[in-house]
Amino acid sequence: MQQLRYVLAQNYSLIFVTESWLSDSITNGLIDESHSYNIYRKDRQFKRGGGVIGFVSNTLHSYAVLLSSKYDLLELTCFCIVTSLGTFRFIIVY
């Protein structure tokens, strides 16, 4: 978690992580205490380790993409970022 906080302090616009090692007991507020990012994550459900997480700066307009339940067992998150150039979809998969 310490390394992740260091990366967040660098104020990047986008950060994508695999092997996040997060679980339900770690809230988004604990990860990003300054609330500088919209967080899109999918934690590994049945084992330790794994998981994916995306951080999008609050300076960008982003929103989650709802996925079909057939993907529930995959470590996968999807979101869009809307800019003046268009809408860009990002998928993080582990």
Side-chain angles (χ1 to χ4, degrees):
M1 182 84 90
Q2 202 70 331
Q3 297 92 342
L4 190 52
R5 286 191 181 132
Y6 173 78
V7 172
L8 294 178
Q10 305 308 306
N11 295 318
Y12 295 113
S13 296
L14 299 170
I15 303 167
F16 304 143
V17 177
T18 60
E19 285 286 344
S20 60
W21 280 66
L22 299 175
S23 66
D24 293 346
S25 64
I26 301 172
T27 65
N28 291 348
L30 287 173
I31 300 167
D32 176 24
E33 295 173 342
S34 66
H35 304 289
S36 301
Y37 292 91
N38 292 310
I39 297 176
Y40 304 97
R41 68 190 257 194
K42 179 69 180 280
D43 303 335
R44 180 170 281 178
Q45 298 295 312
F46 304 109
K47 297 180 187 175
R48 284 187 55 178
V52 296
I53 189 168
F55 297 88
V56 179
S57 170
N58 284 338
T59 62
L60 300 172
H61 175 72
S62 65
Y63 63 89
V65 174
L66 298 177
L67 299 172
S68 167
S69 61
K70 69 182 178 182
Y71 300 113
D72 283 351
L73 295 178
L74 297 177
E75 294 166 44
L76 161 74
T77 189
C78 184
F79 56 90
C80 289
I81 297 175
V82 180
T83 73
S84 60
L85 299 174
T87 301
F88 300 90
R89 180 166 290 180
F90 295 87
I91 302 169
I92 307 172
V93 180
Y94 178 68

